[in-house]
Amino acid sequence: MAAGKFITIEGTEGVGKSTNLAFVHDWLTARGIDVLVTREPGGTPLAEQLRELLLATREEPVAHNAELLMVFAARAQHLEQVVKPALAQGRWVLCDRFTDATYAYQGGGRGLDKTVISELEQLVQGALRPDLTLVLDIEPELGLQRAAARAELDRFEREDIAFFNRVRQAYRERAEANPAHYAQVDAGQPLSDVQSDIEACLKRLLSKPF
């Protein structure tokens, strides 16, 4: 049985990840592809508990390295319990954020050493990398306005605009450094245009030999 494909959707707050995740799921399912939708941090009971710890606002400052290690602890559990088994069964996995978010938020936003992130990536993932990463890009100010209108802000969403500018830049740098596996999509466009761009990316992925 051929291994499934691994697609991740990335971006800062308010880019429309949930809406477009549903679009990708429905587009693939309509073509007879068995798709598992999941998210990071999260995807298993333990990883979801770690997600709650990461996102909760609290009086105690969270050490940046503690945050980084919680992210990778959740990822390790998620990969072993959900992602790897699904791919081995030939299912496609569609994930709301993955390790690019760590490079963007903890590396770009927090300023942590990206060499350390790379070492943790290798430890937890080995050779596993997404087949396609869709980076939804938007001006941080607009994205934060959308996020604020949606629900109460979590610990990350309360960061200042400079933080999100660094996050956005980190995403862009990763996408531009490896265009074969990344696709940047302008999430500030009308939704129909965003999804037309995403569809084009999915068609390219389907045209590649398995």
Side-chain angles (χ1 to χ4, degrees):
M1 181 182 295
K5 296 289 187 181
F6 186 20
I7 301 173
T8 58
I9 296 185
E10 297 281 357
T12 54
E13 271 55 38
V15 292
K17 284 189 293 84
S18 298
T19 298
N20 289 298
L21 196 82
F23 171 78
V24 173
H25 171 265
D26 292 347
W27 193 92
L28 293 172
T29 300
R31 284 151 182 81
I33 296 171
D34 183 10
V35 184
L36 170 68
V37 177
T38 187
R39 69 176 181 176
E40 286 212 349
T44 81
L46 174 57
E48 289 291 337
Q49 288 179 325
L50 287 164
R51 178 189 180 89
E52 291 176 9
L53 291 173
L54 281 162
L55 298 186
T57 56
R58 63 184 75 248
E59 292 185 8
E60 177 187 6
V62 179
H64 293 173
N65 279 335
E67 181 179 281
L68 176 65
L69 292 170
M70 281 193 285
V71 167
F72 270 106
R75 181 163 298 133
Q77 186 72 5
H78 184 222
L79 284 172
E80 293 303 319
Q81 297 298 318
V82 175
V83 176
K84 289 181 180 179
L87 292 173
Q89 292 165 8
R91 303 184 72 187
W92 286 41
V93 175
L94 176 59
C95 192
D96 181 344
R97 292 208 171 114
F98 192 56
T99 309
D100 288 293
T102 310
Y103 280 102
Y105 280 78
Q106 282 72 47
R110 303 291 189 213
L112 293 181
D113 187 344
K114 292 179 183 177
T115 301
V116 174
I117 298 174
S118 178
E119 290 170 351
L120 290 169
E121 179 182 33
Q122 189 62 34
L123 172 67
V124 169
Q125 297 170 221
L128 178 63
R129 299 292 184 275
D131 296 283
L132 171 65
T133 296
L134 297 166
V135 179
L136 304 180
D137 182 64
I138 200 170
E139 289 289 342
E141 293 88 346
L142 177 56
L144 289 171
Q145 288 173 12
R146 290 180 178 180
R150 183 183 62 214
E152 183 178 353
L153 299 180
D154 63 36
R155 187 171 65 86
F156 285 92
E157 292 167 340
R158 294 172 186 268
E159 293 289 342
D160 61 25
I161 195 67
F163 174 87
F164 289 106
N165 282 325
R166 293 193 299 272
V167 171
R168 183 191 191 194
Q169 182 60 28
Y171 270 132
R172 285 181 154 189
E173 288 173 0
R174 288 185 64 75
E176 290 164 5
N178 190 358
H181 288 92
Y182 291 80
Q184 285 193 86
V185 177
D186 179 1
Q189 305 177 88
L191 182 59
S192 59
D193 293 334
V194 172
Q195 294 182 342
S196 178
D197 288 349
I198 291 173
E199 182 177 20
C201 297
L202 295 173
K203 286 179 177 177
R204 286 195 296 271
L205 180 63
L206 279 176
S207 71
K208 293 179 180 179
F210 282 70

